[in-house]
Amino acid sequence: MTKLRRSEVEPHEDYGFFGPGSVVWKVWSYPTAPTVGFQRAVVVEELDPPLVAAVHRTQGIYQRPRTRYDRTLRYFAMVAFAGSREVCKAADILVKVHSKAIGNLPYGDGTYDANDPASQLWIQLTGWHSILYVYEKYGPGKLTAQEETEYWEACAVAAELQTCSPDDVPRTRDGVRAYFEEMRPRLSASPIARQAMNHLLATELVLPPTPRWAKPLSHAVARAQRIATIATMPRWMRELAGIRQSRLLDLLIVPVMKVSFALAHLDPRVELRLLERLSPSTVPVIAPVKLGVPPRTREVLTPAEARARHGYARPAEAHLEFRALQAARVFGEGEAPSDQGLVESQEILGPLA
């Protein structure tokens, strides 16, 4: 188990892009975020045909579900809590990682590219919406109008770490709803989408090996999280994906999760212990926030300021030559893309196995 003594926690270099008192730290540090919130995000994302094509091509969620969950959650936590230099480095290497996920759509005409701005916007909004929605459903409740405005402004700031444009991020709840309504006709529950969604709902796949005596409890926790995640999905989405759950379960799971998360939130060390079971590499990212360890420099930057200071290009403009070489290998020569970005990413996003 990770050492959780405050004196042994490594501080971040600075406050990154949000900092203490921000609504991002309030929402993303609640235990709903790395559990039901994150699971909802990765499940719903699979309804986008280009995205699920990329996921299916790489097979990461099937071949290494635990490390894939761990690395992805670590990245999202870094954007919210880590120092600006570390986040810029992670965003930069992620472009190289995503350069591998390109190819022809398995259903219909066209191609997919994980670095495509439209796919990145879908990931960004699905993730931030899911984290907030679950916080309000199973956590402390609705944000104030001022907090909600700040939250979506922060989402646009975080979008600067993706290849999409922050100008395309809605700044209100109604705007976010309009975006999802616009996306709805484009969503599809293809065979590979249904396979991925059901696979990602199996929480037990991302948990560490459990002693025999603890297996019933582990199974109960995984089952409760699956029920809670499905309960947040609208009926049309469940019907599209062939996911069924009774309205009674939808109702009964709410008090169970609200009480469980509230109890866990009473002690930051308990939260970190629980997080360690889901995502060990995320613990060092959020531990300074949970245990009140200030950064070496108490400063909040914008992504543009951070890129200028640390020498990184905007993600949309990063590694264009390498991405072109990947495209030439896949579409021109019919070969598999290079794993170079994936290998290099281990230094900052964690090991692949």
Side-chain angles (χ1 to χ4, degrees), residues 332-347:
E333 302 164 19
E335 296 181 2
S338 166
D339 286 335
Q340 181 181 335
L342 201 58
V343 172
E344 292 177 6
S345 72
Q346 294 181 89
E347 178 188 352

Side-chain angles (χ1 to χ4, degrees), residues 290-338:
K290 283 292 178 185
L291 300 179
V293 177
R296 289 187 285 274
T297 302
R298 302 192 185 201
E299 182 181 19
V300 175
L301 282 74
T302 67
E305 290 170 339
R307 285 193 297 269
R309 178 178 298 183
H310 305 309
Y312 287 95
R314 289 176 60 248
E317 300 165 355
H319 306 295
L320 294 179
E321 184 176 349
F322 180 73
R323 291 158 65 181
L325 288 172
Q326 293 281 61
R329 287 173 65 103
V330 173
F331 298 116
E333 302 164 19
E335 296 181 2
S338 166

Side-chain angles (χ1 to χ4, degrees), residues 81-143:
F81 304 111
S84 61
R85 184 194 306 272
E86 194 176 12
V87 180
C88 285
K89 185 177 181 181
D92 184 76
I93 196 62
L94 198 61
V95 173
K96 294 186 76 172
V97 172
H98 284 159
S99 73
K100 174 182 169 65
I102 55 176
N104 295 304
L105 289 172
Y107 301 97
D109 297 327
T111 61
Y112 63 87
D113 178 352
N115 277 316
D116 180 73
S119 285
Q120 291 287 296
L121 182 63
W122 169 251
I123 292 171
Q124 181 73 5
L125 290 179
T126 304
W128 280 66
H129 172 261
S130 293
I131 297 296
L132 177 58
Y133 184 84
V134 171
Y135 173 87
E136 294 184 333
K137 186 178 181 72
Y138 300 129
K142 295 280 187 182
L143 298 181

